Amino acid sequence: MAPRPLAHASGQSRRAAPRPDTHRRPRLAGRVTSALVAQLAGVLAAAFFSSAHAAEPLKVGVLAPITGATAADGARLLKAHQLAVNEINSAGGIAGLGGAKVELLIADTQSKPEVGRHAAERLIARDEVSALLGAWASAVTMPSMQVAERYRTPFIVTSAVTDSITERNLQFVFRVSPKGSWAARDVGSFINYLRGKGVTIDKVALAYEDGPFGQAVSKGYKKGLPAQGIHIVGEETFRTGSPDMSTQAAKLKATGADLLLIVCYVDDEVVLLRALAAQRYKPMVLGYGGGHVHPTLLQLGPMVDGAFGIVEWMPDLKKTATEQFAKAYKAAYGEMPLSNAAQAYAATWAIALAADAARSRDPVKLRDSLRTLRLDKGPASLLPNEALDFDAAGQNNVGNVISQVIDGRFVTIWPEAVAGQSLRLAH
């Protein structure tokens, strides 16, 4: 279903009320009855209620790490949420709610699960939001979404990839990003694509952070890649925020792997790649998600030249909605968006369009509307699938793309149908 405009055309005007005729003597002058007074009072009360209700915003709670270990990612999420809200509100608001504006209520999770859980409860119980969006990390998202389920309030997960998020038979949880295990399917296809180009990949090793995020993606790799004939020869784990990974780097070098699959946040990947360089070990690298396709990584220069990344979205995808979003985001903030920003933007538009279709702010009606939403055109269709469309479990069926660092930039090189540039192989 293509999204219809959220507000009616501004050229439509209300019919003007007739001006009073001052030359006529009121027929009921001096004879106003109590019944008429009551009737007029009811009309005025109804008009006032209708006006007040129309002006009431659609309140949407946003859970994001404004402080803490992943605060930089939280800042990008908020920029994308706000960009979508600015576009919706400047176009006249939500038509199905009488032109109501979208209002974001933002809560800092501090990158901590317990803080996120309390923030979710406060947004729903005290601030009475109609829906929640967030919350970046899987470890924070999972306790927060349990709160939303208990309060029967829709929660659109923007970026967390732990598979179980949409495998618990929860009725109010939706996710725009892919499951972490789906990376194995796409990485396997890409490895075979490289082999078809004459690249030797006989042995693969894994390096991942030991939280829910890293465990979910690596579990998918360990299950899915051998089934595609790809041999995993070793794996190393580490805690997020580890200052030294020289031990892991030495063990990875000993595997002799041709390709190293990394799953972690950007600061950890920087530490790991420097440790690998110190070991004079430079396999092909394929990082995961926004933690890899990140401006910080480019500061490593030659260490990341030619490195690949599997990611949920790229700003050079050959899609109209992607091009428009990337242009608007850069114009607003002076930088190009990352995948988590695209997901936050899509989720914000999705909840607004669900409210428009439902003509309601009621959380249960919004949940029902999200279940039937199919967005194959317009701003919410910017992700790399045919349409933003939630299945019965609340999962958007969206895949990944592969990026490569070429000339100091991340560019999409696979699948070729949406690639911004051709693959570059080392000589």
Side-chain angles (χ1 to χ4, degrees), residues 13 100 116 127 151 166 176 186 194 201 219 249 259 278 286 296 317 353 418 420 427:
S13 60
D127 299 324
Y151 279 93
T166 50
V176 297
D186 297 328
L194 290 177
I201 302 177
K219 181 179 179 181
L259 174 66
L286 198 160
T296 299
L317 286 177
L353 291 165
V418 295
H427 297 289

Side-chain angles (χ1 to χ4, degrees), residues 138-139 142 161-164 179-184 206-223 235-240 262-265 288:
S138 293
M142 289 191 287
V161 299
T162 299
D163 283 21
S164 62
K179 293 182 178 182
S181 65
W182 291 354
L206 308 179
Y208 55 94
E209 64 95 26
D210 61 4
F213 162 48
Q215 291 174 14
V217 178
S218 61
K219 181 179 179 181
Y221 282 154
K222 287 184 280 188
K223 180 179 179 181
E235 62 179 277
E236 290 297 320
T237 64
F238 47 85
R239 188 172 300 279
T240 292
I262 301 175
V263 186
C264 62
Y265 301 105
Y288 182 90

Side-chain angles (χ1 to χ4, degrees), residues 398-415:
V398 61
N400 301 275
V401 298
I402 302 292
S403 70
Q404 187 178 22
V405 179
I406 298 178
D407 297 330
R409 298 186 305 116
F410 294 107
V411 297
T412 308
I413 52 91
W414 184 90

Side-chain angles (χ1 to χ4, degrees), residues 287-330:
Y288 182 90
H292 175 84
V293 183
H294 196 291
T296 299
L297 217 61
L298 297 178
Q299 297 173 12
L300 296 180
M303 289 186 202
V304 294
D305 281 348
F308 300 112
I310 181 167
V311 65
E312 298 96 330
W313 178 88
M314 284 284 289
D316 63 342
L317 286 177
K318 291 182 179 178
K319 292 192 75 174
T320 300
T322 283
E323 294 169 2
Q324 292 174 345
F325 166 65
K327 182 178 179 180
Y329 189 97
K330 186 172 184 180

Side-chain angles (χ1 to χ4, degrees), residues 9-303:
S10 59
Q12 292 179 338
S13 60
R14 293 182 179 179
R15 184 177 178 181
R19 298 181 62 184
D21 185 350
T22 57
H23 300 289
R24 287 188 179 178
R25 188 175 177 181
R27 186 177 303 176
L28 294 177
R31 297 177 55 204
V32 178
T33 66
S34 58
L36 181 57
V37 170
Q39 182 180 357
L40 289 172
V43 170
L44 290 172
F48 176 80
F49 176 81
S50 177
S51 174
H53 186 70
E56 180 186 343
L58 174 69
K59 294 196 293 185
V60 177
V62 174
L63 297 169
I66 301 171
T67 60
T70 56
D73 296 296
R76 293 185 185 89
L77 290 169
L78 294 184
K79 288 176 181 178
H81 286 303
Q82 192 60 60
L83 177 61
V85 168
N86 291 345
E87 291 175 350
I88 294 164
N89 290 347
S90 64
I94 302 174
L97 298 180
K101 308 299 186 185
V102 178
E103 178 186 350
L104 296 181
L105 282 73
I106 299 164
D108 181 12
T109 67
Q110 302 176 28
S111 305
K112 298 175 181 178
E114 189 64 16
V115 174
R117 186 181 70 80
H118 285 301
E121 187 153 16
R122 183 174 66 253
L123 286 169
I124 298 172
R126 187 192 70 185
D127 299 324
E128 298 183 335
V129 298
S130 295
L132 290 176
L133 309 176
W136 176 234
S138 293
V140 180
T141 297
M142 289 191 287
S144 302
M145 74 185 192
Q146 294 286 355
V147 173
E149 184 74 10
R150 188 169 73 250
Y151 279 93
R152 297 172 60 80
T153 299
F155 188 131
I156 303 183
V157 176
T158 54
S159 304
V161 299
T162 299
D163 283 21
S164 62
I165 286 172
T166 50
E167 294 179 350
R168 299 185 176 191
N169 197 32
L170 301 180
Q171 301 302 304
F172 287 81
V173 175
F174 301 82
R175 175 165 51 185
V176 297
S177 57
K179 293 182 178 182
S181 65
W182 291 354
R185 171 194 64 193
D186 297 328
V187 166
S189 296
F190 179 64
I191 289 174
N192 288 322
Y193 169 78
L194 290 177
R195 286 171 169 171
K197 297 287 186 180
V199 180
T200 299
I201 302 177
D202 293 326
K203 295 186 290 184
V204 173
L206 308 179
Y208 55 94
E209 64 95 26
D210 61 4
F213 162 48
Q215 291 174 14
V217 178
S218 61
K219 181 179 179 181
Y221 282 154
K222 287 184 280 188
K223 180 179 179 181
L225 294 181
Q228 300 180 65
I230 299 165
H231 185 40
I232 297 175
V233 295
E235 62 179 277
E236 290 297 320
T237 64
F238 47 85
R239 188 172 300 279
T240 292
S242 298
D244 177 43
M245 298 191 194
S246 55
T247 300
Q248 288 90 342
K251 291 181 178 179
L252 290 168
K253 181 180 180 180
T255 67
D258 307 302
L259 174 66
L260 176 61
L261 302 178
I262 301 175
V263 186
C264 62
Y265 301 105
V266 64
D267 291 342
D268 297 320
E269 186 162 351
V270 168
V271 173
L272 177 58
L273 290 177
R274 284 176 172 160
L276 294 172
Q279 292 284 334
R280 299 182 182 278
Y281 176 48
K282 194 175 187 219
M284 283 181 288
V285 166
L286 198 160
Y288 182 90
H292 175 84
V293 183
H294 196 291
T296 299
L297 217 61
L298 297 178
Q299 297 173 12
L300 296 180
M303 289 186 202

